[in-house]
Amino acid sequence: MKFKIEATAPDTDARAGRFTTDHGEVLTPIFMPVGTVASVKAVHQRELRDDIKAQIILGNTYHLYLRPGLDILEKAGGLHKFNGWERPILTDSGGFQVFSLSDIRKLTDEGVKFRSHIDGSRHLFTPENVVDIQRVIGSDIMMALDECTPGDADYAYARKSLDLTQRWLLRGWKRYKETEGHYGYYQSWFPIVQGCVYPDLRREAASRIAELEADGNAIGGLAVGEPVEKMYEMIEIVNEILPKDCPRYLMGVGTPANILEGIDRGVDMFDCVMPTRNGRNGMLFTRNGIMNMRNRKWADDFSPLDEGGAAWVDEVYSKAYVRHLFAANEILAMQIASVHNLAFYLWLVGEARKHIVEGDFKVWKRHMLENVTRRL
């Protein structure tokens, strides 16, 4: 992976860059739509490519491993050919999903034993076989196996958890370095900084990861219950240490405001289910504020869904029509909302990039934060 910083914003750590994979180039800062089971819910690949203008999407190792399974993915020639997405793909290691199964998993030094949420079958993820699984999936960026510590964990638990994650880190790195991809193209591997909300643990984790000189680095274990101020503090601490010449990926974050604050602090890559999940429940994010499309106030508002918005649906459909679709539990409502929200998120990071390049990011961000946090 080649990463180049093209501009930085005065009085912030925000930067505009680009990285190149064998499936294409990605301009940063970037938001990555989440395609957990090889699809971004309710969104066609054509819409992702042409309307939303996604440059890179996510898949999830845990879910893809269980269904459709590695045999199917390998026969297909990897995830790109299986789901028809020709641009870059990042896969999470599945650690977050496995650790959320607290009642049907067991953590050991070897790895994590768990039962499938689908059929109850037993499985084992190790730092090594998670690399092997992602080799079969064929993502452009693979993630290390880690334990995602709860945001309210006490120091003793966070210390023990980080020690385990760091032992796994070295084993995963070794397996990555001694293996190659299955399909003739290069795959990057990102380690993940953990440490909960404890500055010394975050510094230790970031320092050890920086020594690996991986293609990029991730920050995990945030937006998992800790106060938002703590999240921003941890980002600042970690980004003081992580290499500046590699992309930094903040995992699972978040709201439009979270993304703007993350960019301000030097983050390059984001993902979150919020635009699609919240969209399917009637919440639309716009450049003027947040709309709950189930509210009665939109019932006779025939103005465009989001005049001048980033997606074609914004001009075609009215607020009243979309509100009607949600009231009627029509599937089209979820599709429209998903396309709109993802297009908005991609527009937001694109505008951030533009203002970093133009040198007025700080002023633009202050104005945009007021807008995107407003309830309409």
Side-chain angles (χ1 to χ4, degrees), residues 260 348 351-352 355 360-368:
L260 292 174
L348 185 67
E351 286 294 295
H355 287 280
D360 63 347
F361 171 79
K362 195 175 184 69
V363 173
W364 172 82
K365 175 204 154 191
R366 187 183 308 118
H367 170 73
M368 189 54 60

Side-chain angles (χ1 to χ4, degrees), residues 180-290:
E180 295 182 355
H182 287 217
Y183 309 111
Y185 54 83
Y186 181 77
Q187 293 177 276
S188 295
W189 183 87
F190 284 17
I192 304 170
V193 177
Q194 289 289 350
C196 198
V197 295
Y198 302 105
D200 62 320
L201 298 184
R202 288 284 177 177
R203 289 191 183 96
E204 176 185 328
S207 297
R208 291 195 177 186
I209 281 173
E211 293 172 358
L212 296 180
E213 298 182 351
D215 289 335
N217 301 289
I219 306 168
L222 294 175
V224 289
E226 80 285 353
V228 68
E229 295 79 12
K230 275 291 180 183
M231 176 173 72
Y232 298 147
E233 179 189 351
M234 294 305 107
I235 295 170
E236 292 172 5
I237 287 170
V238 167
N239 279 349
E240 287 177 359
I241 298 169
L242 290 180
K244 290 181 169 54
D245 58 351
C246 299
R248 300 162 174 162
Y249 165 31
L250 180 59
M251 304 180 73
V253 179
T255 67
N258 293 159
I259 289 173
L260 292 174
E261 295 291 1
I263 292 171
D264 194 319
R265 290 162 172 80
V267 174
D268 306 294
M269 303 165 64
F270 303 85
D271 81 285
C272 190
V273 297
M274 182 171 285
T276 47
R277 179 178 290 171
N278 289 33
R280 293 194 304 274
N281 287 289
M283 178 181 285
L284 267 60
F285 301 96
T286 79
R287 66 191 71 193
N288 296 310
I290 302 168

Side-chain angles (χ1 to χ4, degrees), residues 23-325:
H23 282 98
E25 186 176 70
V26 176
L27 303 182
T28 63
I30 191 64
F31 179 82
M32 303 177 286
V34 177
T36 302
V37 297
S39 76
V40 177
K41 287 187 185 297
V43 180
H44 292 292
Q45 315 295 43
R46 183 179 62 188
E47 291 171 318
L48 278 172
R49 183 187 65 241
D50 299 337
D51 302 323
I52 295 166
K53 296 181 173 55
Q55 299 175 49
I56 177 173
I57 64 172
L58 266 70
N60 182 264
T61 296
Y62 167 82
H63 288 281
L64 295 171
Y65 163 78
L66 292 176
R67 185 171 53 195
L70 300 185
D71 288 346
I72 296 296
L73 288 168
E74 189 147 36
K75 286 178 183 177
L79 183 56
H80 291 88
K81 292 186 176 179
F82 184 64
N83 73 353
W85 180 254
E86 298 175 348
R87 295 177 182 178
I89 297 175
L90 180 150
T91 44
D92 188 359
S93 68
F96 180 82
Q97 285 69 30
V98 169
F99 294 115
S100 68
L101 306 172
S102 57
D103 55 340
I104 52 175
R105 56 91 170 168
K106 181 179 180 181
L107 195 61
T108 70
D109 201 63
E110 179 186 13
V112 57
K113 299 176 182 178
F114 62 95
R115 288 181 178 270
S116 164
H117 72 285
I118 299 170
D119 60 11
S121 56
R122 297 176 183 270
H123 303 271
L124 171 68
F125 273 1
T126 69
E128 293 85 2
N129 74 12
V130 163
V131 172
D132 299 339
I133 291 167
Q134 290 178 93
R135 290 293 195 192
V136 175
I137 293 171
S139 52
D140 298 275
I141 301 174
M142 309 185 293
M143 303 303 301
L145 181 66
D146 64 334
E147 181 183 5
C148 183
T149 314
D152 59 355
D154 62 28
Y155 186 87
Y157 183 96
R159 171 77 267 174
K160 182 179 179 182
S161 173
L162 180 59
D163 288 344
L164 179 63
T165 289
Q166 292 186 151
R167 291 195 297 273
W168 285 357
L169 173 72
L170 297 179
R171 288 166 52 192
W173 179 245
K174 181 175 183 294
R175 178 60 66 94
Y176 168 70
K177 297 295 283 185
E178 64 190 17
T179 58
E180 295 182 355
H182 287 217
Y183 309 111
Y185 54 83
Y186 181 77
Q187 293 177 276
S188 295
W189 183 87
F190 284 17
I192 304 170
V193 177
Q194 289 289 350
C196 198
V197 295
Y198 302 105
D200 62 320
L201 298 184
R202 288 284 177 177
R203 289 191 183 96
E204 176 185 328
S207 297
R208 291 195 177 186
I209 281 173
E211 293 172 358
L212 296 180
E213 298 182 351
D215 289 335
N217 301 289
I219 306 168
L222 294 175
V224 289
E226 80 285 353
V228 68
E229 295 79 12
K230 275 291 180 183
M231 176 173 72
Y232 298 147
E233 179 189 351
M234 294 305 107
I235 295 170
E236 292 172 5
I237 287 170
V238 167
N239 279 349
E240 287 177 359
I241 298 169
L242 290 180
K244 290 181 169 54
D245 58 351
C246 299
R248 300 162 174 162
Y249 165 31
L250 180 59
M251 304 180 73
V253 179
T255 67
N258 293 159
I259 289 173
L260 292 174
E261 295 291 1
I263 292 171
D264 194 319
R265 290 162 172 80
V267 174
D268 306 294
M269 303 165 64
F270 303 85
D271 81 285
C272 190
V273 297
M274 182 171 285
T276 47
R277 179 178 290 171
N278 289 33
R280 293 194 304 274
N281 287 289
M283 178 181 285
L284 267 60
F285 301 96
T286 79
R287 66 191 71 193
N288 296 310
I290 302 168
M291 297 190 296
N292 181 348
M293 299 313 298
R294 296 185 184 276
N295 285 352
R296 176 65 182 82
K297 67 182 293 184
W298 309 117
D300 57 357
D301 186 334
F302 303 106
S303 64
L305 185 62
D306 186 19
E307 192 164 5
W312 67 272
V313 297
D314 297 331
E315 297 286 353
V316 171
Y317 300 113
S318 70
K319 297 179 180 71
Y321 179 63
V322 174
R323 193 263 178 185
H324 156 71
L325 294 177

